[in-house]
Amino acid sequence: MQRVTSKKLIFLVGLILSVMFFSGYLIPVVVNAQSKQGVDFNSIKAQAEKGDANAQYMLGISYIEYRDGQEIASVNFSKAADWFQSAAKQGHPAAQEALGSLYKYGLGVEQDYAEGLIWLKKAAEQGNAEAHFKIGNMYAEGRGVSKDMTDGNRWIREYFEITDAKFAAAGLSPMETQNRYELLNEWV
Protein backbone atom coordinates (compact mmCIF):
# COMPACT_ATOMS: atom_id res chain seq x y z
CA MET A 1 0.00 0.00 0.00
CA GLN A 2 1.38 3.39 -1.02
CA ARG A 3 1.73 6.01 1.68
CA VAL A 4 0.03 9.33 0.95
CA THR A 5 2.42 12.20 1.62
CA SER A 6 1.30 15.74 2.39
CA LYS A 7 2.43 16.81 -1.10
CA LYS A 8 0.27 14.12 -2.69
CA LEU A 9 -2.67 15.05 -0.48
CA ILE A 10 -2.33 18.71 -1.48
CA PHE A 11 -2.11 17.61 -5.11
CA LEU A 12 -5.28 15.53 -4.79
CA VAL A 13 -7.24 18.25 -2.99
CA GLY A 14 -6.13 20.84 -5.56
CA LEU A 15 -7.00 18.52 -8.39
CA ILE A 16 -10.44 17.71 -7.02
CA LEU A 17 -11.24 21.37 -6.39
CA SER A 18 -10.09 22.47 -9.82
CA VAL A 19 -12.02 19.66 -11.51
CA MET A 20 -15.15 20.67 -9.64
CA PHE A 21 -14.58 24.37 -10.36
CA PHE A 22 -13.78 24.13 -14.05
CA SER A 23 -15.89 21.21 -15.19
CA GLY A 24 -19.46 21.59 -16.29
CA TYR A 25 -20.64 20.67 -12.83
CA LEU A 26 -21.06 24.31 -11.83
CA ILE A 27 -23.83 24.74 -14.39
CA PRO A 28 -26.44 22.88 -12.28
CA VAL A 29 -25.71 25.23 -9.38
CA VAL A 30 -26.60 28.09 -11.73
CA VAL A 31 -29.77 26.23 -12.72
CA ASN A 32 -30.69 25.85 -9.07
CA ALA A 33 -29.98 29.51 -8.34
CA GLN A 34 -32.03 30.56 -11.36
CA SER A 35 -34.95 28.38 -10.30
CA LYS A 36 -35.27 30.60 -7.24
CA GLN A 37 -35.65 33.51 -9.66
CA GLY A 38 -38.39 31.91 -11.74
CA VAL A 39 -36.46 29.72 -14.21
CA ASP A 40 -37.62 26.21 -13.44
CA PHE A 41 -37.12 22.72 -14.80
CA ASN A 42 -40.09 23.02 -17.17
CA SER A 43 -38.88 26.26 -18.73
CA ILE A 44 -35.39 24.81 -19.20
CA LYS A 45 -36.96 21.74 -20.79
CA ALA A 46 -39.01 23.94 -23.12
CA GLN A 47 -35.87 25.80 -24.20
CA ALA A 48 -34.05 22.49 -24.70
CA GLU A 49 -36.87 21.15 -26.87
CA LYS A 50 -36.54 24.27 -29.05
CA GLY A 51 -32.89 23.35 -29.67
CA ASP A 52 -31.05 25.60 -27.21
CA ALA A 53 -27.70 23.81 -26.61
CA ASN A 54 -27.13 25.38 -23.17
CA ALA A 55 -30.60 24.35 -22.03
CA GLN A 56 -30.06 20.86 -23.46
CA TYR A 57 -26.84 20.55 -21.49
CA MET A 58 -28.46 21.84 -18.28
CA LEU A 59 -31.37 19.46 -18.75
CA GLY A 60 -28.93 16.57 -19.21
CA ILE A 61 -27.20 17.55 -15.98
CA SER A 62 -30.54 17.77 -14.20
CA TYR A 63 -31.17 14.10 -14.97
CA ILE A 64 -28.02 13.02 -13.14
CA GLU A 65 -27.60 15.41 -10.22
CA TYR A 66 -29.30 16.58 -7.07
CA ARG A 67 -29.24 20.03 -5.50
CA ASP A 68 -29.45 20.71 -1.78
CA GLY A 69 -30.76 17.20 -1.13
CA GLN A 70 -33.68 17.67 -3.51
CA GLU A 71 -34.08 16.14 -6.91
CA ILE A 72 -34.37 18.48 -9.86
CA ALA A 73 -35.46 15.52 -11.99
CA SER A 74 -35.38 11.77 -11.51
CA VAL A 75 -31.93 10.31 -12.10
CA ASN A 76 -31.95 8.90 -15.61
CA PHE A 77 -28.59 8.51 -17.36
CA SER A 78 -30.27 7.50 -20.62
CA LYS A 79 -32.24 10.77 -20.79
CA ALA A 80 -29.11 12.67 -19.77
CA ALA A 81 -27.19 11.03 -22.63
CA ASP A 82 -29.91 11.99 -25.11
CA TRP A 83 -29.81 15.65 -24.06
CA PHE A 84 -26.01 15.74 -23.93
CA GLN A 85 -25.94 14.25 -27.43
CA SER A 86 -28.29 16.95 -28.73
CA ALA A 87 -26.11 19.72 -27.27
CA ALA A 88 -22.83 17.97 -28.18
CA LYS A 89 -23.83 17.75 -31.86
CA GLN A 90 -24.22 21.54 -31.76
CA GLY A 91 -20.65 21.86 -30.50
CA HIS A 92 -21.34 22.47 -26.79
CA PRO A 93 -17.99 21.53 -25.16
CA ALA A 94 -19.33 20.71 -21.69
CA ALA A 95 -22.00 18.48 -23.26
CA GLN A 96 -19.34 16.80 -25.40
CA GLU A 97 -17.26 16.12 -22.27
CA ALA A 98 -20.31 14.83 -20.38
CA LEU A 99 -21.35 12.58 -23.26
CA GLY A 100 -17.80 11.27 -23.59
CA SER A 101 -17.81 10.48 -19.88
CA LEU A 102 -21.09 8.58 -20.13
CA TYR A 103 -19.65 6.47 -22.95
CA LYS A 104 -16.41 5.96 -21.02
CA TYR A 105 -18.26 4.64 -17.97
CA GLY A 106 -21.25 3.04 -19.73
CA LEU A 107 -23.86 5.19 -17.99
CA GLY A 108 -27.12 5.53 -19.94
CA VAL A 109 -25.35 4.21 -23.05
CA GLU A 110 -23.44 1.06 -23.87
CA GLN A 111 -19.85 1.43 -22.69
CA ASP A 112 -17.72 2.41 -25.66
CA TYR A 113 -14.26 3.81 -24.97
CA ALA A 114 -13.70 4.72 -28.62
CA GLU A 115 -16.92 6.76 -28.80
CA GLY A 116 -16.14 8.32 -25.44
CA LEU A 117 -12.70 9.33 -26.66
CA ILE A 118 -14.18 10.92 -29.81
CA TRP A 119 -16.47 13.16 -27.75
CA LEU A 120 -13.81 13.92 -25.15
CA LYS A 121 -11.39 14.99 -27.90
CA LYS A 122 -14.03 17.25 -29.45
CA ALA A 123 -14.47 18.92 -26.06
CA ALA A 124 -10.70 19.13 -25.53
CA GLU A 125 -10.28 20.83 -28.93
CA GLN A 126 -12.49 23.61 -27.53
CA GLY A 127 -10.41 23.95 -24.37
CA ASN A 128 -12.50 21.85 -21.99
CA ALA A 129 -10.07 21.11 -19.15
CA GLU A 130 -11.96 18.15 -17.74
CA ALA A 131 -11.86 16.45 -21.15
CA HIS A 132 -8.07 16.82 -21.21
CA PHE A 133 -7.84 15.22 -17.80
CA LYS A 134 -10.11 12.29 -18.71
CA ILE A 135 -8.25 11.66 -21.98
CA GLY A 136 -4.99 11.67 -20.03
CA ASN A 137 -6.41 9.07 -17.67
CA MET A 138 -7.56 6.91 -20.59
CA TYR A 139 -4.03 6.91 -22.02
CA ALA A 140 -2.41 6.34 -18.62
CA GLU A 141 -4.74 3.40 -17.89
CA GLY A 142 -4.91 2.03 -21.45
CA ARG A 143 -8.69 2.32 -21.66
CA GLY A 144 -9.81 2.35 -25.29
CA VAL A 145 -6.29 3.23 -26.41
CA SER A 146 -2.86 1.68 -26.09
CA LYS A 147 -1.43 2.45 -22.69
CA ASP A 148 0.89 5.39 -23.18
CA MET A 149 2.18 7.22 -20.13
CA THR A 150 3.82 9.92 -22.26
CA ASP A 151 0.53 10.82 -23.96
CA GLY A 152 -1.33 10.50 -20.67
CA ASN A 153 1.11 12.86 -19.02
CA ARG A 154 0.86 15.32 -21.96
CA TRP A 155 -2.94 15.46 -21.78
CA ILE A 156 -2.92 15.95 -18.01
CA ARG A 157 -0.27 18.68 -18.30
CA GLU A 158 -2.59 20.45 -20.76
CA TYR A 159 -5.36 20.13 -18.18
CA PHE A 160 -3.13 21.92 -15.65
CA GLU A 161 -2.22 24.63 -18.16
CA ILE A 162 -5.89 25.31 -18.91
CA THR A 163 -6.93 25.35 -15.25
CA ASP A 164 -3.95 27.53 -14.28
CA ALA A 165 -5.00 30.06 -16.94
CA LYS A 166 -8.61 29.96 -15.70
CA PHE A 167 -7.49 30.42 -12.10
CA ALA A 168 -5.40 33.42 -13.14
CA ALA A 169 -8.27 34.91 -15.19
CA ALA A 170 -10.55 34.52 -12.18
CA GLY A 171 -8.00 36.31 -10.00
CA LEU A 172 -7.25 33.15 -8.03
CA SER A 173 -3.83 31.82 -7.21
CA PRO A 174 -3.31 28.29 -8.56
CA MET A 175 -1.23 25.74 -6.75
CA GLU A 176 2.37 26.13 -7.82
CA THR A 177 2.43 24.58 -11.27
CA GLN A 178 5.89 23.04 -10.97
CA ASN A 179 4.91 21.21 -7.78
CA ARG A 180 1.85 19.77 -9.51
CA TYR A 181 3.92 18.60 -12.48
CA GLU A 182 6.45 16.95 -10.15
CA LEU A 183 3.66 15.13 -8.32
CA LEU A 184 2.10 14.13 -11.60
CA ASN A 185 5.37 12.60 -12.75
CA GLU A 186 5.53 10.59 -9.50
CA TRP A 187 2.04 9.19 -10.09
CA VAL A 188 2.07 8.36 -13.81
Side-chain angles (χ1 to χ4, degrees), residues 76-91:
N76 186 324
F77 287 107
S78 180
K79 283 185 181 181
D82 290 342
W83 287 112
F84 290 149
Q85 178 112 29
S86 296
K89 285 181 177 178
Q90 294 183 62

Side-chain angles (χ1 to χ4, degrees), residues 42-52 55-56 59 63 83:
N42 291 328
S43 63
I44 292 169
K45 187 173 181 182
Q47 288 177 298
E49 289 170 345
K50 290 179 184 175
D52 182 295
Q56 290 169 339
L59 192 56
Y63 279 109
W83 287 112

Side-chain angles (χ1 to χ4, degrees), residues 22 123-124 127-134 155 158-159 162-163 166:
F22 292 114
N128 183 287
E130 180 70 5
H132 280 84
F133 188 80
K134 289 178 179 178
W155 280 101
E158 290 173 6
Y159 160 81
I162 293 167
T163 57
K166 288 183 178 182

Side-chain angles (χ1 to χ4, degrees), residues 6 9 11 110 181 185:
S6 61
L9 184 59
F11 171 77
E110 188 173 326
Y181 291 154
N185 287 328

Side-chain angles (χ1 to χ4, degrees), residues 125-141:
E125 288 170 2
Q126 296 187 68
N128 183 287
E130 180 70 5
H132 280 84
F133 188 80
K134 289 178 179 178
I135 293 168
N137 281 335
M138 289 178 80
Y139 277 100
E141 297 171 356

Side-chain angles (χ1 to χ4, degrees), residues 16 18-19 38 47 53 55 63 75 84 88-90 96 156 188:
I16 290 167
S18 62
V19 167
Q47 288 177 298
Y63 279 109
V75 174
F84 290 149
K89 285 181 177 178
Q90 294 183 62
Q96 291 169 336
I156 293 174
V188 292

